[in-house]
Amino acid sequence: MGQTAHVSADTWTSAVAVVSALSLAAWLWLLLARGFFWRTDVRLPAGGEVDAWPSVCVVVPARDEAAVLPASLPSLLAQDYPGRVDVFLIDDGSTDGTGELACELARRQEARPLTVASPGEPPAGWTGKLWAVRHGIGLARARAPEYLLLTDADIAHAPDSLRRLVAAARTGGFDVVSQMARLRVDSGWERLVVPAFVYFFAQLYPFRWIGGGRAGRKRKGTRTAAAAGGCVLLRADAAERARIPEAIRHAVIDDVALARAVKGGGGRVWLGLADRVDSVRPYPRLRDLWRMISRSAYAQLRHNPLVLAGTVVGLSLVYLVPPAAAVGGAATGSAATAVLGGAAWLVMAGTYVPMLRYYRQPLWLAPLLPLTAFLYLLMTVDSAVQHYRGRGAAWKGRTYARPDAVPDEG
C-alpha cells in the first residue's frame, strides 16, 4: 500500500511539473512569437504635414453622456486642424439632457460647427450605437468629407489629435487609423483591471500584425484586423466599399468588426496606443468594470461554448498555473515545479511591465497579473451565463440578444 501511494505521489508530482513546463513554453512563445504584443511602442509618428488637408466629419454617438461631455466634446470642437471639420453628435435616445448640453457647450465655445441629431430607436437587427453611427454618416455624406472620425462621447482629444491622425493616414496609405485611448486609472480597481484590459486586447490582436508597427510601415501576409472604437479615422470611400455600418449592424464589438470589414475588402488598417487621446469615463467600482467587460466577452468568443471551454483552460494554463506551481512546488519540496512555475511567472510579469509603465502605474502590480486574469476568467464565464439566460449583451439600458456577426479572422 505504501509503495502504491509513493508511486502515485511521484506520478502526480511529475504531471504537475509537465503542466508547469507547458505553461513556461506557452509564455516563451507569447514572448517571442506573438508579434511582441507586450511592447508599447506602436504609436503615431510625432508630426507630419500633407500638401492639402482634406475635409473631415466627426461622428459622436452618445447615449446618456451628460456626465462626461463637458470633459470631451470641447476638445473636438477646439481641434487645431487646417482643413474643414464638421462635428455631428447623434443623441441616441438620451434621458439625461445629452443633446441639450452638447448644444450649450458648443454655444459657449464658438469653435467648430456642431450638429446635434437623433436617429430614433434602432430597428431590429441593429445595435444602438451603430444605428446612431449610420445616422451620423448619413448626415456627413451631404458634406462630402474625405475622412470620417468615429469617436465615443467619453473620449477627450488633444488639440493636434485630428491633424496627426490624418497625417498618419495620408503618409501611410491607411484606410483606417485607430488609437487605443488611454483609459482612466484613478481608483484601485481601475489600476488593477484597466492596464490588463489593454494588455489582453493587444495579446489577442498584436498591433504589429494589424498595420505593421509604426504608421507608414507595411506588413504583408497577415489578416489580423482590429480597431479601438473610441478613436477611428476612416476614409469615407473605404466605408462605402465595406458597407459601413450596414455590414456590421448587429455587431456588439463594433470596432473589431469595422476593421475586419475594411481589411476584408482590401483596405489597410493601423492600430496603436494613444499618447494624447484619453477616456474620461470613470469605472470606480469593480462592478462597473465587470459590467463593461462582461457585456461583450462572450461575443468575443462568438457565443461558442467550445471556444469558451478552451478559453477557460487556456487562461488557467497560461496565467493561473505559474503562481500555483511556484508556490505549491516550494511548499511541497518539488524544485522542478517551483522553478518552472517561477520562471513562467517571471516572464509573465516582465511582459506586463511595459503596459504598467505606459499607464504610469507601480511595477509591483506586475506579479498580480494572475489575479487580474482570474477576474477576467470569471467575467467571461459570467458573460456566457448571462447569454444563456437570454439577457444578451446589456449596455445603456439596452440588451442585444442576437450573436455578434463578425467574419472570421482566418
Side-chain angles (χ1 to χ4, degrees):
M1 181 69 70
Q3 182 68 23
T4 301
H6 179 70
V7 171
S8 299
D10 287 345
T11 302
W12 171 253
T13 300
S14 299
V16 172
V18 168
V19 173
S20 302
L22 288 174
S23 181
L24 176 59
W27 272 110
L28 292 176
W29 179 81
L30 288 169
L31 175 70
L32 301 173
R34 189 64 186 168
F36 296 100
F37 76 94
W38 45 271
R39 294 181 58 172
T40 57
D41 58 347
V42 181
R43 316 280 183 91
L44 285 180
E49 295 293 327
V50 299
D51 294 335
W53 292 95
S55 62
V56 180
C57 283
V58 182
V59 177
V60 186
R63 180 176 172 86
D64 292 332
E65 299 286 15
V68 297
L69 273 188
S72 60
L73 185 59
S75 72
L76 286 172
L77 300 176
Q79 281 298 296
D80 178 18
Y81 183 74
R84 176 173 175 172
V85 178
D86 295 284
V87 182
F88 297 87
L89 185 136
I90 310 303
D91 183 6
D92 181 20
S94 299
T95 59
D96 65 349
T98 289
E100 295 82 356
L101 176 59
C103 292
E104 176 60 26
L105 291 171
R107 281 194 295 269
R108 293 179 198 169
Q109 196 158 346
E110 296 182 355
R112 300 287 182 179
L114 172 70
T115 299
V116 176
S118 177
E121 282 298 307
W126 283 83
T127 63
K129 178 180 177 180
L130 287 171
W131 179 244
V133 168
R134 178 185 184 274
H135 191 70
I137 292 177
L139 294 174
R141 285 196 178 113
R143 313 291 172 88
E146 187 171 341
Y147 288 94
L148 300 163
L149 175 62
L150 311 180
T151 183
D152 289 343
D154 65 312
I155 303 299
H157 293 255
D160 63 345
S161 174
L162 184 55
R163 179 195 289 261
R164 294 182 63 197
L165 286 165
V166 171
R170 280 297 186 92
T171 58
F174 293 105
D175 297 284
V176 172
V177 173
S178 179
Q179 291 190 94
M180 177 75 70
R182 199 189 302 260
L183 306 177
R184 204 185 86 142
V185 283
D186 290 347
S187 72
W189 286 114
E190 287 171 337
R191 293 187 177 95
L192 182 67
V193 174
V194 165
F197 176 81
V198 182
Y199 173 89
F200 293 143
F201 185 92
Q203 192 176 88
L204 284 173
Y205 306 104
F207 296 163
R208 281 174 173 77
W209 288 2
I210 294 170
R214 296 181 182 275
R217 292 178 56 190
K218 297 182 178 180
R219 175 186 173 90
K220 298 180 179 179
T222 177
R223 289 185 289 172
T224 303
C231 178
V232 178
L233 184 75
L234 171 64
R235 283 187 65 93
D237 57 357
E240 289 190 21
R241 286 196 304 270
R243 297 178 53 249
I244 302 295
E246 286 80 6
I248 60 170
R249 60 188 177 276
H250 39 54
V252 175
I253 311 175
D254 53 275
D255 43 12
V256 174
L258 181 150
R260 285 175 172 170
V262 171
K263 200 163 191 176
R268 295 191 62 218
V269 178
W270 184 90
L271 171 64
L273 294 173
D275 289 309
R276 302 175 67 198
V277 177
D278 303 291
S279 172
V280 298
R281 190 185 305 283
Y283 294 98
R285 300 164 298 185
L286 176 59
R287 70 178 183 180
D288 300 318
L289 289 159
W290 193 292
R291 186 165 56 247
M292 183 267 289
I293 294 166
S294 65
R295 75 181 182 94
S296 60
Y298 198 38
Q300 179 68 59
L301 305 180
R302 296 177 174 85
H303 302 97
N304 188 319
L306 293 179
V307 177
L308 173 65
T311 299
V312 170
V313 172
L315 283 173
S316 300
L317 174 66
V318 173
Y319 289 99
L320 306 186
V321 165
V327 175
T332 60
S334 175
T337 299
V339 169
L340 290 168
W345 196 0
L346 182 63
V347 175
M348 179 200 315
T351 64
Y352 194 38
V353 165
M355 189 60 70
L356 290 173
R357 285 177 172 163
Y358 170 75
Y359 271 98
R360 305 180 185 95
Q361 295 304 302
L363 300 188
W364 57 261
L365 287 170
L368 299 183
L369 185 57
L371 171 61
T372 306
F374 180 64
L375 290 175
Y376 274 82
L377 187 154
L378 295 179
M379 294 174 195
T380 302
V381 172
D382 180 59
S383 179
V385 170
Q386 298 306 318
H387 172 78
Y388 289 114
R389 285 181 176 177
R391 298 179 184 178
W395 189 247
K396 297 283 186 179
R398 289 195 180 109
T399 299
Y400 306 113
R402 67 180 291 172
D404 203 12
V406 180
D408 289 337
E409 187 178 7

